[in-house]
Amino acid sequence: MTETQANSPLILALPKGRILKALRPVLHHTGFEPAQDCLDESSRRLRFPTSDAALDVVRVRSFDVATFVAYGGADIGVCGADVLMEFDYPDLYAPLDLGIGGCRISVARPKGADDEPPEGRSRLRVATKYPAIARRHFASRAINAEIVHLHGAMELAPALDMADVIVDLVDTGSTLRANGLEEVETIAHITSRLIVNRVALKTRPEEISALIERFRSAVAQSAVKEGDAA
Ligand code: PRP
């Protein structure tokens, strides 16, 4: 490691969207206040300083957090367990369940439909943004599945005859209901995790371990606060 790298700020990758919102109280308790516009998703800036000169934040798509951390662009990050399951990067270590962003990854199909592929088709068509998870899930049930890889709005696919079922995140279930679908099987329960690049952990062990501990205690403190509010 060069001296410049050793002195450079650590980089924390945060996901846009609902996890970022849920993460606010935890971030607050870490004591690292990111620049104001970091939590404002209309800002076009992507890298932000924090109140600690030794830590910068980058804000990326939730699906890309694991990739930024696995390739060492960021040292540490926050992402859903769904993303970890999908990519399964060996260079990532996930030391902490943040207990936020709870939801599930499930199979859903049109209300009243059955499990079989329609007549004339030998394979069940599955629309999903999680091709690896869906492939593994149906293979484990000896179901011959054809994956239709989409990046969003897969709830449309069954009604438009592109797929028989979908595999997607379900939180309140309102997106499924609004699109005439019903959840038929839960593949996994999901929460957000703190993830760390294994090389960074080896090269900057004190700093990274201290950061993990700050998050650990912030999670505990925000859980206490939530309990007080209940
Ligand atoms: C997720 C998921 C569903 C929706 C489920 O999308 O893909 O569309 O949330 O939530 P619900 O059960 O509460 O309705 P998200 O809003 O994260 O956006 P994305 O599909 O663009 O990632």
mmCIF file of all heavy atoms in Angstrom, residues 16-19 61-63 103-104 129-130 151-155 166-179 183, ligand 1:
data_model
loop_
_atom_site.group_PDB
_atom_site.id
_atom_site.type_symbol
_atom_site.label_atom_id
_atom_site.label_comp_id
_atom_site.label_asym_id
_atom_site.label_seq_id
_atom_site.Cartn_x
_atom_site.Cartn_y
_atom_site.Cartn_z
ATOM 1 N N LYS A 16 -28.908 4.171 -2.832
ATOM 2 C CA LYS A 16 -30.029 5.115 -2.970
ATOM 3 C C LYS A 16 -31.314 4.422 -2.528
ATOM 4 O O LYS A 16 -31.361 3.207 -2.423
ATOM 5 C CB LYS A 16 -30.221 5.453 -4.452
ATOM 6 C CG LYS A 16 -29.092 6.150 -5.097
ATOM 7 C CD LYS A 16 -29.517 6.405 -6.531
ATOM 8 C CE LYS A 16 -28.383 6.876 -7.391
ATOM 9 N NZ LYS A 16 -28.802 7.079 -8.763
ATOM 10 N N GLY A 17 -32.359 5.212 -2.356
ATOM 11 C CA GLY A 17 -33.687 4.628 -2.181
ATOM 12 C C GLY A 17 -34.051 4.303 -0.760
ATOM 13 O O GLY A 17 -33.574 4.940 0.183
ATOM 14 N N ARG A 18 -34.864 3.250 -0.610
ATOM 15 C CA ARG A 18 -35.489 3.046 0.700
ATOM 16 C C ARG A 18 -34.489 2.661 1.793
ATOM 17 O O ARG A 18 -34.681 3.008 2.948
ATOM 18 C CB ARG A 18 -36.634 2.035 0.605
ATOM 19 C CG ARG A 18 -36.261 0.640 0.225
ATOM 20 C CD ARG A 18 -37.438 -0.293 0.314
ATOM 21 N NE ARG A 18 -38.292 -0.206 -0.873
ATOM 22 C CZ ARG A 18 -39.514 -0.706 -0.955
ATOM 23 N NH1 ARG A 18 -40.041 -1.305 0.081
ATOM 24 N NH2 ARG A 18 -40.194 -0.631 -2.059
ATOM 25 N N ILE A 19 -33.401 1.989 1.436
ATOM 26 C CA ILE A 19 -32.421 1.637 2.485
ATOM 27 C C ILE A 19 -31.765 2.905 3.021
ATOM 28 O O ILE A 19 -31.548 3.045 4.224
ATOM 29 C CB ILE A 19 -31.356 0.642 1.963
ATOM 30 C CG1 ILE A 19 -32.005 -0.678 1.550
ATOM 31 C CG2 ILE A 19 -30.295 0.368 3.035
ATOM 32 C CD1 ILE A 19 -31.039 -1.733 1.035
ATOM 33 N N ARG A 61 -26.369 2.976 -6.859
ATOM 34 C CA ARG A 61 -27.568 2.130 -6.899
ATOM 35 C C ARG A 61 -27.417 0.986 -5.912
ATOM 36 O O ARG A 61 -26.317 0.429 -5.772
ATOM 37 C CB ARG A 61 -27.730 1.522 -8.293
ATOM 38 C CG ARG A 61 -28.227 2.513 -9.277
ATOM 39 C CD ARG A 61 -28.318 1.921 -10.645
ATOM 40 N NE ARG A 61 -28.985 2.901 -11.475
ATOM 41 C CZ ARG A 61 -30.053 2.642 -12.229
ATOM 42 N NH1 ARG A 61 -30.538 1.428 -12.316
ATOM 43 N NH2 ARG A 61 -30.610 3.589 -12.913
ATOM 44 N N SER A 62 -28.533 0.583 -5.290
ATOM 45 C CA SER A 62 -28.419 -0.452 -4.255
ATOM 46 C C SER A 62 -27.790 -1.727 -4.823
ATOM 47 O O SER A 62 -27.008 -2.394 -4.150
ATOM 48 C CB SER A 62 -29.770 -0.732 -3.613
ATOM 49 O OG SER A 62 -30.667 -1.159 -4.579
ATOM 50 N N PHE A 63 -28.093 -2.046 -6.082
ATOM 51 C CA PHE A 63 -27.527 -3.255 -6.673
ATOM 52 C C PHE A 63 -26.024 -3.145 -6.892
ATOM 53 O O PHE A 63 -25.346 -4.157 -7.025
ATOM 54 C CB PHE A 63 -28.208 -3.539 -8.024
ATOM 55 C CG PHE A 63 -29.006 -4.794 -7.997
ATOM 56 C CD1 PHE A 63 -30.246 -4.818 -7.384
ATOM 57 C CD2 PHE A 63 -28.534 -5.959 -8.559
ATOM 58 C CE1 PHE A 63 -30.986 -5.979 -7.323
ATOM 59 C CE2 PHE A 63 -29.263 -7.132 -8.513
ATOM 60 C CZ PHE A 63 -30.492 -7.146 -7.897
ATOM 61 N N CYS A 103 -37.499 -7.065 4.546
ATOM 62 C CA CYS A 103 -38.477 -7.450 3.527
ATOM 63 C C CYS A 103 -38.189 -8.901 3.171
ATOM 64 O O CYS A 103 -37.438 -9.568 3.890
ATOM 65 C CB CYS A 103 -38.397 -6.548 2.296
ATOM 66 S SG CYS A 103 -36.783 -6.504 1.523
ATOM 67 N N ARG A 104 -38.777 -9.402 2.123
ATOM 68 C CA ARG A 104 -38.490 -10.783 1.731
ATOM 69 C C ARG A 104 -38.377 -10.879 0.227
ATOM 70 O O ARG A 104 -38.902 -10.017 -0.490
ATOM 71 C CB ARG A 104 -39.552 -11.737 2.283
ATOM 72 C CG ARG A 104 -40.944 -11.298 1.965
ATOM 73 C CD ARG A 104 -41.945 -11.893 2.965
ATOM 74 N NE ARG A 104 -43.307 -11.554 2.562
ATOM 75 C CZ ARG A 104 -43.931 -10.432 2.913
ATOM 76 N NH1 ARG A 104 -43.338 -9.550 3.683
ATOM 77 N NH2 ARG A 104 -45.164 -10.191 2.494
ATOM 78 N N LYS A 129 -35.254 -9.486 -11.366
ATOM 79 C CA LYS A 129 -33.956 -8.805 -11.425
ATOM 80 C C LYS A 129 -32.918 -9.612 -10.651
ATOM 81 O O LYS A 129 -31.804 -9.131 -10.431
ATOM 82 C CB LYS A 129 -34.066 -7.370 -10.905
ATOM 83 C CG LYS A 129 -34.509 -7.207 -9.486
ATOM 84 C CD LYS A 129 -34.590 -5.719 -9.102
ATOM 85 C CE LYS A 129 -35.270 -5.553 -7.760
ATOM 86 N NZ LYS A 129 -35.614 -4.184 -7.436
ATOM 87 N N TYR A 130 -33.296 -10.813 -10.213
ATOM 88 C CA TYR A 130 -32.391 -11.694 -9.472
ATOM 89 C C TYR A 130 -32.214 -13.015 -10.215
ATOM 90 O O TYR A 130 -32.690 -14.067 -9.750
ATOM 91 C CB TYR A 130 -32.965 -11.997 -8.080
ATOM 92 C CG TYR A 130 -33.176 -10.779 -7.217
ATOM 93 C CD1 TYR A 130 -34.448 -10.223 -7.066
ATOM 94 C CD2 TYR A 130 -32.109 -10.190 -6.551
ATOM 95 C CE1 TYR A 130 -34.648 -9.107 -6.271
ATOM 96 C CE2 TYR A 130 -32.306 -9.069 -5.747
ATOM 97 C CZ TYR A 130 -33.568 -8.543 -5.616
ATOM 98 O OH TYR A 130 -33.762 -7.436 -4.819
ATOM 99 N N HIS A 151 -34.905 -5.230 -15.032
ATOM 100 C CA HIS A 151 -34.307 -4.426 -13.968
ATOM 101 C C HIS A 151 -35.354 -3.703 -13.131
ATOM 102 O O HIS A 151 -35.021 -3.022 -12.171
ATOM 103 C CB HIS A 151 -33.297 -3.437 -14.555
ATOM 104 C CG HIS A 151 -32.111 -4.146 -15.127
ATOM 105 N ND1 HIS A 151 -32.057 -4.571 -16.434
ATOM 106 C CD2 HIS A 151 -30.966 -4.569 -14.554
ATOM 107 C CE1 HIS A 151 -30.917 -5.195 -16.643
ATOM 108 N NE2 HIS A 151 -30.245 -5.218 -15.511
ATOM 109 N N GLY A 152 -36.614 -3.826 -13.476
ATOM 110 C CA GLY A 152 -37.681 -3.208 -12.694
ATOM 111 C C GLY A 152 -39.016 -3.550 -13.342
ATOM 112 O O GLY A 152 -39.053 -4.148 -14.431
ATOM 113 N N ALA A 153 -40.100 -3.191 -12.672
ATOM 114 C CA ALA A 153 -41.462 -3.368 -13.193
ATOM 115 C C ALA A 153 -41.750 -4.802 -13.645
ATOM 116 O O ALA A 153 -42.533 -5.024 -14.557
ATOM 117 C CB ALA A 153 -41.728 -2.382 -14.339
ATOM 118 N N MET A 154 -41.119 -5.784 -12.965
ATOM 119 C CA MET A 154 -41.382 -7.171 -13.387
ATOM 120 C C MET A 154 -42.810 -7.608 -13.056
ATOM 121 O O MET A 154 -43.302 -8.583 -13.611
ATOM 122 C CB MET A 154 -40.350 -8.160 -12.855
ATOM 123 C CG MET A 154 -40.212 -8.289 -11.395
ATOM 124 S SD MET A 154 -39.187 -7.026 -10.745
ATOM 125 C CE MET A 154 -37.694 -7.052 -11.559
ATOM 126 N N GLU A 155 -43.496 -6.820 -12.188
ATOM 127 C CA GLU A 155 -44.897 -7.138 -11.864
ATOM 128 C C GLU A 155 -45.781 -7.097 -13.108
ATOM 129 O O GLU A 155 -46.864 -7.678 -13.130
ATOM 130 C CB GLU A 155 -45.441 -6.154 -10.823
ATOM 131 C CG GLU A 155 -44.796 -6.248 -9.443
ATOM 132 C CD GLU A 155 -43.520 -5.431 -9.309
ATOM 133 O OE1 GLU A 155 -43.082 -4.816 -10.313
ATOM 134 O OE2 GLU A 155 -42.939 -5.427 -8.208
ATOM 135 N N ILE A 166 -43.078 -14.189 -11.049
ATOM 136 C CA ILE A 166 -41.952 -13.265 -10.844
ATOM 137 C C ILE A 166 -41.229 -13.657 -9.553
ATOM 138 O O ILE A 166 -41.816 -14.316 -8.687
ATOM 139 C CB ILE A 166 -42.393 -11.781 -10.761
ATOM 140 C CG1 ILE A 166 -43.216 -11.513 -9.493
ATOM 141 C CG2 ILE A 166 -43.183 -11.377 -12.005
ATOM 142 C CD1 ILE A 166 -43.418 -10.023 -9.208
ATOM 143 N N VAL A 167 -39.975 -13.260 -9.461
ATOM 144 C CA VAL A 167 -39.235 -13.353 -8.199
ATOM 145 C C VAL A 167 -38.790 -11.933 -7.893
ATOM 146 O O VAL A 167 -38.087 -11.301 -8.693
ATOM 147 C CB VAL A 167 -38.016 -14.303 -8.320
ATOM 148 C CG1 VAL A 167 -37.068 -14.122 -7.140
ATOM 149 C CG2 VAL A 167 -38.479 -15.752 -8.413
ATOM 150 N N ASP A 168 -39.263 -11.394 -6.757
ATOM 151 C CA ASP A 168 -38.950 -9.996 -6.455
ATOM 152 C C ASP A 168 -39.028 -9.755 -4.943
ATOM 153 O O ASP A 168 -39.499 -10.615 -4.189
ATOM 154 C CB ASP A 168 -39.939 -9.073 -7.177
ATOM 155 C CG ASP A 168 -39.425 -7.630 -7.262
ATOM 156 O OD1 ASP A 168 -38.237 -7.385 -6.971
ATOM 157 O OD2 ASP A 168 -40.227 -6.743 -7.616
ATOM 158 N N LEU A 169 -38.610 -8.563 -4.553
ATOM 159 C CA LEU A 169 -38.735 -8.169 -3.152
ATOM 160 C C LEU A 169 -40.185 -7.853 -2.835
ATOM 161 O O LEU A 169 -40.877 -7.234 -3.656
ATOM 162 C CB LEU A 169 -37.906 -6.920 -2.865
ATOM 163 C CG LEU A 169 -36.397 -7.038 -2.920
ATOM 164 C CD1 LEU A 169 -35.767 -5.720 -2.481
ATOM 165 C CD2 LEU A 169 -35.898 -8.173 -2.035
ATOM 166 N N VAL A 170 -40.612 -8.262 -1.658
ATOM 167 C CA VAL A 170 -41.949 -7.902 -1.179
ATOM 168 C C VAL A 170 -41.775 -7.297 0.198
ATOM 169 O O VAL A 170 -41.104 -7.866 1.057
ATOM 170 C CB VAL A 170 -42.863 -9.150 -1.077
ATOM 171 C CG1 VAL A 170 -44.265 -8.743 -0.616
ATOM 172 C CG2 VAL A 170 -42.925 -9.890 -2.400
ATOM 173 N N ASP A 171 -42.373 -6.115 0.359
ATOM 174 C CA ASP A 171 -42.322 -5.487 1.682
ATOM 175 C C ASP A 171 -43.746 -5.460 2.223
ATOM 176 O O ASP A 171 -44.172 -6.344 2.960
ATOM 177 C CB ASP A 171 -41.701 -4.091 1.539
ATOM 178 C CG ASP A 171 -41.621 -3.355 2.855
ATOM 179 O OD1 ASP A 171 -41.872 -3.970 3.902
ATOM 180 O OD2 ASP A 171 -41.325 -2.142 2.847
ATOM 181 N N THR A 172 -44.536 -4.467 1.819
ATOM 182 C CA THR A 172 -45.920 -4.397 2.294
ATOM 183 C C THR A 172 -46.843 -5.304 1.473
ATOM 184 O O THR A 172 -47.955 -5.609 1.898
ATOM 185 C CB THR A 172 -46.449 -2.957 2.153
ATOM 186 O OG1 THR A 172 -46.395 -2.605 0.761
ATOM 187 C CG2 THR A 172 -45.607 -1.988 2.957
ATOM 188 N N GLY A 173 -46.432 -5.691 0.278
ATOM 189 C CA GLY A 173 -47.280 -6.495 -0.616
ATOM 190 C C GLY A 173 -48.165 -5.629 -1.494
ATOM 191 O O GLY A 173 -48.902 -6.146 -2.341
ATOM 192 N N SER A 174 -48.095 -4.314 -1.333
ATOM 193 C CA SER A 174 -49.044 -3.483 -2.087
ATOM 194 C C SER A 174 -48.731 -3.468 -3.591
ATOM 195 O O SER A 174 -49.650 -3.392 -4.405
ATOM 196 C CB SER A 174 -49.126 -2.073 -1.515
ATOM 197 O OG SER A 174 -47.862 -1.510 -1.477
ATOM 198 N N THR A 175 -47.454 -3.578 -3.972
ATOM 199 C CA THR A 175 -47.135 -3.611 -5.414
ATOM 200 C C THR A 175 -47.716 -4.878 -6.052
ATOM 201 O O THR A 175 -48.286 -4.830 -7.148
ATOM 202 C CB THR A 175 -45.604 -3.551 -5.644
ATOM 203 O OG1 THR A 175 -45.076 -2.455 -4.899
ATOM 204 C CG2 THR A 175 -45.267 -3.366 -7.106
ATOM 205 N N LEU A 176 -47.616 -5.997 -5.356
ATOM 206 C CA LEU A 176 -48.191 -7.243 -5.891
ATOM 207 C C LEU A 176 -49.709 -7.091 -6.034
ATOM 208 O O LEU A 176 -50.276 -7.375 -7.094
ATOM 209 C CB LEU A 176 -47.883 -8.431 -4.961
ATOM 210 C CG LEU A 176 -46.416 -8.870 -4.857
ATOM 211 C CD1 LEU A 176 -46.311 -10.109 -3.964
ATOM 212 C CD2 LEU A 176 -45.833 -9.171 -6.238
ATOM 213 N N ARG A 177 -50.353 -6.623 -4.956
ATOM 214 C CA ARG A 177 -51.819 -6.483 -4.982
ATOM 215 C C ARG A 177 -52.262 -5.551 -6.101
ATOM 216 O O ARG A 177 -53.218 -5.846 -6.826
ATOM 217 C CB ARG A 177 -52.332 -5.951 -3.637
ATOM 218 C CG ARG A 177 -52.425 -7.028 -2.567
ATOM 219 C CD ARG A 177 -53.202 -6.534 -1.343
ATOM 220 N NE ARG A 177 -52.532 -5.434 -0.664
ATOM 221 C CZ ARG A 177 -51.531 -5.588 0.203
ATOM 222 N NH1 ARG A 177 -51.090 -6.795 0.509
ATOM 223 N NH2 ARG A 177 -50.963 -4.544 0.777
ATOM 224 N N ALA A 178 -51.540 -4.451 -6.266
ATOM 225 C CA ALA A 178 -51.933 -3.456 -7.281
ATOM 226 C C ALA A 178 -51.803 -4.012 -8.698
ATOM 227 O O ALA A 178 -52.321 -3.425 -9.646
ATOM 228 C CB ALA A 178 -51.079 -2.202 -7.134
ATOM 229 N N ASN A 179 -51.083 -5.127 -8.824
ATOM 230 C CA ASN A 179 -50.865 -5.687 -10.161
ATOM 231 C C ASN A 179 -51.453 -7.086 -10.316
ATOM 232 O O ASN A 179 -51.046 -7.848 -11.203
ATOM 233 C CB ASN A 179 -49.361 -5.673 -10.483
ATOM 234 C CG ASN A 179 -48.868 -4.243 -10.674
ATOM 235 O OD1 ASN A 179 -49.124 -3.624 -11.704
ATOM 236 N ND2 ASN A 179 -48.206 -3.696 -9.658
ATOM 237 N N GLU A 183 -48.405 -13.615 -3.540
ATOM 238 C CA GLU A 183 -47.133 -14.213 -3.128
ATOM 239 C C GLU A 183 -47.388 -15.688 -2.882
ATOM 240 O O GLU A 183 -48.317 -16.037 -2.155
ATOM 241 C CB GLU A 183 -46.731 -13.523 -1.824
ATOM 242 C CG GLU A 183 -45.338 -13.738 -1.397
ATOM 243 C CD GLU A 183 -45.027 -12.903 -0.145
ATOM 244 O OE1 GLU A 183 -45.888 -12.118 0.309
ATOM 245 O OE2 GLU A 183 -43.921 -13.065 0.367
HETATM 246 C C1 PRP B 1 -39.268 -3.032 -4.590
HETATM 247 C C2 PRP B 1 -39.715 -4.294 -5.304
HETATM 248 C C3 PRP B 1 -41.203 -4.081 -5.480
HETATM 249 C C4 PRP B 1 -41.567 -3.212 -4.289
HETATM 250 C C5 PRP B 1 -42.210 -4.051 -3.216
HETATM 251 O O1 PRP B 1 -39.023 -2.040 -5.518
HETATM 252 O O2 PRP B 1 -39.021 -4.466 -6.531
HETATM 253 O O3 PRP B 1 -41.497 -3.421 -6.694
HETATM 254 O O4 PRP B 1 -40.365 -2.662 -3.771
HETATM 255 O O5 PRP B 1 -42.614 -3.268 -2.106
HETATM 256 P P1 PRP B 1 -44.090 -3.425 -1.497
HETATM 257 O O6 PRP B 1 -44.302 -4.884 -1.190
HETATM 258 O O7 PRP B 1 -44.073 -2.588 -0.251
HETATM 259 O O8 PRP B 1 -45.075 -2.907 -2.503
HETATM 260 P P2 PRP B 1 -38.331 -0.674 -5.088
HETATM 261 O O9 PRP B 1 -39.355 0.308 -4.640
HETATM 262 O O10 PRP B 1 -37.225 -0.949 -4.126
HETATM 263 O O11 PRP B 1 -37.776 -0.128 -6.462
HETATM 264 P P3 PRP B 1 -36.975 -0.852 -7.639
HETATM 265 O O12 PRP B 1 -37.838 -1.962 -8.186
HETATM 266 O O13 PRP B 1 -36.800 0.248 -8.616
HETATM 267 O O14 PRP B 1 -35.679 -1.349 -7.063
#
